[in-house]
Amino acid sequence: MKVNWQGVFPAISTQFNDDGSINYESNARMLEDLISNGIDGIIALGTIGENASLSAEEKREFIKHTVETVKGRILVLSGCTENTAQQAAQYAQDVETLGVDGLMLLPAMVYRGTDREVIAHYQYVARATKLPIMIYNNPVSYGVDINLEMTAILAEEENIVAIKESTTDTRRLTELQSRFGDRFNILCGVDDIALESLLLGATGWISGLTNVFPRESVTLFKLAREGRIEEAREIYRWFMPLLRLDTIPTLVQCIKFAEQIVGRGNENVRLPRMTLVGEERAYVEQVIANAMATRIDLDKYNVN
């Protein structure tokens, strides 16, 4: 199964009203803005989408609304974050019916499986759906590293076609390419090593801060892919304080607050998450203020 998942994929937030209900109108506006700024696809209901904070019914309704809003203009991938393989398989089947283009699959939540159990989880879900699947490998957050030997076994599943690589170790990109060639699309999943990953051959970038600065993200990606390194570095240096917000425990709150500051959405989150206060809040405000004051004129790069 050949799937061309290349480009910039923001992991979108799930917008909430003040009463905690999902604000579908806000999500639709934000999707339209991202599409108009040239992104290639989205990840709905990933970490930033607060997947684990939604009920099973809400998840499916959110995916339905997202697919209907996008109308095939970009790729729609859904995060799959469930506690058992059976629940994950059922979710995969449900969102396949709803029309998503693929699945970003995490290991089972809550229970930290052995290598054998993690492999079995991925195999079970892959065999339950025809959807193309991206492995989400994030040992920093989830305590499970899907290593090269495990990946070799999962490569036997035809519909496991991509890897979101979030180990934070850029050497893993080269190891994956050396071992598997072009068997997988490999996408960077950590914002503050995006340029390094693209220069090492990552085919895409799954990003948090793209929600806030989509055009800068798309321009950075295109410059890197065209080998225009000095120009890419100029944007990257400007971007770096922002990208760091994607790598801390409060990344969801930081990104949603940043969206609010620039007028894209609001910062509402569901408990146990709470909106930022004090020094954390002031820091994000300062980072955004500095970025806006020094924002680069992207027209000078003349990228298509």
Side-chain angles (χ1 to χ4, degrees):
M1 179 183 290
K2 298 297 290 183
V3 177
N4 183 27
W5 288 349
Q6 299 193 21
V8 178
F9 289 70
I12 63 171
S13 63
T14 301
Q15 290 289 296
F16 298 120
N17 295 303
D18 291 343
D19 65 1
S21 60
I22 297 175
N23 187 334
Y24 289 105
E25 293 78 11
S26 179
N27 270 104
R29 287 194 300 270
M30 295 169 74
L31 280 169
E32 293 295 342
D33 185 80
L34 289 169
I35 292 169
S36 71
N37 278 280
I39 56 101
D40 300 283
I42 58 160
I43 311 295
L45 299 184
T47 302
I48 296 169
E50 295 176 76
N51 187 308
S53 298
L54 273 64
S55 69
E57 182 180 358
E58 285 177 322
K59 291 179 187 182
R60 287 151 175 83
E61 184 59 35
F62 187 85
I63 292 299
K64 180 176 183 289
H65 178 267
T66 300
V67 170
E68 290 175 348
T69 300
V70 168
K71 295 184 175 69
R73 290 173 290 171
I74 57 170
L75 294 170
V76 176
L77 279 61
S78 174
C80 184
T81 307
E82 304 296 336
N83 292 331
T84 70
Q86 290 85 354
Q87 290 171 346
Q90 184 62 61
Y91 181 80
Q93 292 168 352
D94 291 347
V95 296
E96 180 178 354
T97 301
L98 292 173
V100 300
D101 298 295
L103 205 65
M104 183 181 75
L105 179 59
L106 280 70
M109 294 292 98
V110 183
Y111 176 69
R112 180 178 172 181
T114 65
D115 290 359
R116 183 170 65 98
E117 291 169 329
V118 172
I119 291 168
H121 176 83
Y122 275 88
Q123 290 171 329
Y124 188 91
V125 178
R127 295 168 188 176
T129 179
K130 294 180 181 178
L131 284 175
I133 292 173
M134 174 166 56
I135 295 168
Y136 183 9
N137 187 36
N138 189 341
V140 177
S141 295
Y142 302 117
V144 174
D145 183 13
I146 302 172
N147 58 44
L148 295 177
E149 298 308 316
M150 297 167 70
T151 303
I153 297 171
L154 295 177
E156 298 174 8
E157 305 298 323
E158 182 182 10
N159 60 333
I160 296 182
V161 300
I163 300 169
K164 178 185 177 183
E165 182 48 57
S166 300
T167 60
T168 73
D169 182 356
T170 54
R171 291 170 293 191
R172 180 65 65 87
L173 292 165
T174 301
E175 292 170 342
L176 287 166
Q177 292 164 340
S178 297
R179 179 77 175 267
F180 302 107
D182 62 357
R183 168 64 181 81
F184 299 103
N185 283 319
I186 302 173
L187 292 85
C188 172
V190 184
D191 273 2
D192 65 354
I193 55 170
L195 181 56
E196 295 91 330
S197 298
L198 294 171
L199 295 180
L200 286 170
T203 60
W205 174 22
I206 296 174
S207 170
L209 271 299
T210 295
N211 290 295
V212 188
F213 293 99
R215 192 171 172 224
E216 283 81 357
S217 302
V218 171
T219 303
L220 174 62
F221 178 85
K222 289 181 176 179
L223 290 172
R225 292 301 295 268
E226 292 175 9
R228 296 164 62 179
I229 308 305
E230 289 305 314
E231 293 165 295
R233 287 174 63 192
E234 182 180 22
I235 297 176
Y236 200 46
R237 285 193 293 267
W238 169 85
F239 222 161
M240 185 56 67
L242 295 157
L243 299 179
R244 293 287 193 191
L245 299 175
D246 185 62
T247 65
I248 59 179
T250 55
L251 78 160
V252 175
Q253 294 94 314
C254 288
I255 291 169
K256 294 185 87 169
F257 183 38
E259 288 176 322
Q260 177 172 292
I261 292 172
V262 302
R264 292 182 176 273
N266 70 65
E267 65 176 327
N268 292 337
V269 289
R270 282 185 175 175
L271 287 169
R273 287 188 177 90
M274 299 177 72
T275 54
L276 301 177
V277 296
E279 292 183 1
E280 284 186 308
R281 189 176 187 85
Y283 176 73
V284 175
E285 289 176 322
Q286 187 60 55
V287 169
I288 298 295
N290 290 343
M292 298 300 289
T294 59
R295 201 167 186 177
I296 297 170
D297 178 9
L298 299 176
D299 290 336
K300 70 178 181 178
Y301 298 116
N302 192 28
V303 296
N304 296 318

